[in-house]
């Protein structure tokens, strides 16, 4: 799939490509027509979780080499409603080589196929509130990678509530030649 034909670009929450163990929260308000299908086409480095209107949709990026990414197609219609909908995506970037992950560039790309047209990720916002701690963590093993640190007291209602002033437009990485523009569909069903 050529995401450039959907007017979507690779995004991140900053230009920090060196830090390990990053969590980036993204949100976008989208408008859906009644009774129209909606599917999310998504890829990232390293993993993602998706919610629509506060309802969990799916997780699980297909692991690949940095130059050879795969995308997933997620059905959104089950949780979609006519009018304004809130798409929330949490992306985890590991940033350290392990036995099942090769370090790439942090990034997220997605587009929504709604009715017969595309909704791009150009209006995506990014901010804090997931409760996950970014930065270096203790390694479980060299094969398994770092542990994750989570503080439920720092989790906010970022998936559903109004965004505060700390949320900013996501950083577009369309200048990054090392992020693929054409991405293959996941070779194995979830």
């Amino acid at each position: 799939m050529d995401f450039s034909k959907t007017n979507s670009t690779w995004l991140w929450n900053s230009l920090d490509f060196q830090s390990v163990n990053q969590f980036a929260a993204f949100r976008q308000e989208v408008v859906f027509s009644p009774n129209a299908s909606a599917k999310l086409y998504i890829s990232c480095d390293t993993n993602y979780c998706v919610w629509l209107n506060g309802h969990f949709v799916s997780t699980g990026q297909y692991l690949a080499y940095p130059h050879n990414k795969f995308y997933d197609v997620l059905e959104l219609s089950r949780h979609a409603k006519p009018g304004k909908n809130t798409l929330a995506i949490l992306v985890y970037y590991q940033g350290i080589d392990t036995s099942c992950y090769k370090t790439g560039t942090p990034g997220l790309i997605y587009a929504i196929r709604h009715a017969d047209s595309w909704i791009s990720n150009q209006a995506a916002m990014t901010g804090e509130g997931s409760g996950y701690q970014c930065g270096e963590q203790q390694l479980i093993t060299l094969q398994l990678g770092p542990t994750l640190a989570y503080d439920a007291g720092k989790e906010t209602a970022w998936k559903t509530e109004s965004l505060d002033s700390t949320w900013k437009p996501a950083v577009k990485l369309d200048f990054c030649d090392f992020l693929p523009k054409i991405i293959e569909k996941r070779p194995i069903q979830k």
Side-chain angles (χ1 to χ4, degrees):
M1 175 174 180
D2 185 351
F3 274 88
S4 66
K5 292 182 179 179
T6 70
N7 202 28
S8 291
T9 61
W10 282 95
L11 306 173
W12 198 238
N13 64 346
S14 70
L15 293 177
D16 178 8
F17 299 157
Q18 303 304 315
S19 296
V20 300
N21 201 45
Q22 295 182 47
F23 289 87
F26 297 89
R27 234 181 77 170
Q28 184 171 341
E29 304 300 324
V30 293
V31 176
F32 291 148
S33 307
N35 302 319
S37 66
K39 292 184 179 185
L40 176 68
Y41 291 67
I42 184 171
S43 183
C44 73
D45 190 318
T46 303
N47 211 341
Y48 66 80
C49 289
V50 176
W51 296 265
L52 184 65
N53 299 321
H55 299 281
F56 175 75
V57 175
S58 188
T59 188
Q61 176 67 34
Y62 188 86
L63 293 178
Y65 290 105
H67 61 281
N68 185 27
K69 293 285 182 206
F70 296 98
Y71 69 90
D72 287 327
V73 180
L74 308 178
E75 182 63 54
L76 298 178
S77 301
R78 179 176 177 211
H79 301 296
K81 61 184 180 184
K84 187 174 92 168
N85 290 261
T86 302
L87 177 69
I89 304 170
L90 180 63
V91 179
Y92 169 65
Y93 170 68
Q94 185 171 301
I96 182 173
D97 290 337
T98 62
S99 63
C100 60
Y101 172 75
K102 170 71 176 143
T103 301
T105 302
L108 163 70
I109 193 166
Y110 67 88
I112 299 169
R113 184 74 175 167
H114 174 60
D116 291 327
S117 61
W118 289 101
I119 300 171
S120 79
N121 64 2
Q122 295 292 314
M125 303 292 284
T126 185
E128 299 293 324
S130 71
Y132 285 96
Q133 183 179 341
C134 296
E136 290 194 34
Q137 300 292 326
Q138 181 180 357
L139 290 178
I140 299 169
T141 66
L142 289 175
Q143 291 82 16
L144 296 176
T147 61
L148 303 179
Y150 175 76
D151 183 346
K154 293 183 179 177
E155 178 82 32
T156 66
W158 67 274
K159 297 175 201 102
T160 56
E161 300 297 320
S162 296
L163 301 178
D164 64 32
S165 63
T166 63
W167 282 71
K168 305 290 181 210
V171 177
K172 293 173 178 61
L173 306 178
D174 51 358
F175 61 89
C176 294
D177 291 335
F178 39 86
L179 288 167
K181 304 290 187 237
I182 298 177
I183 303 168
E184 299 297 322
K185 187 173 183 180
R186 173 190 279 263
I188 305 170
Q189 285 188 354
K190 282 185 163 224

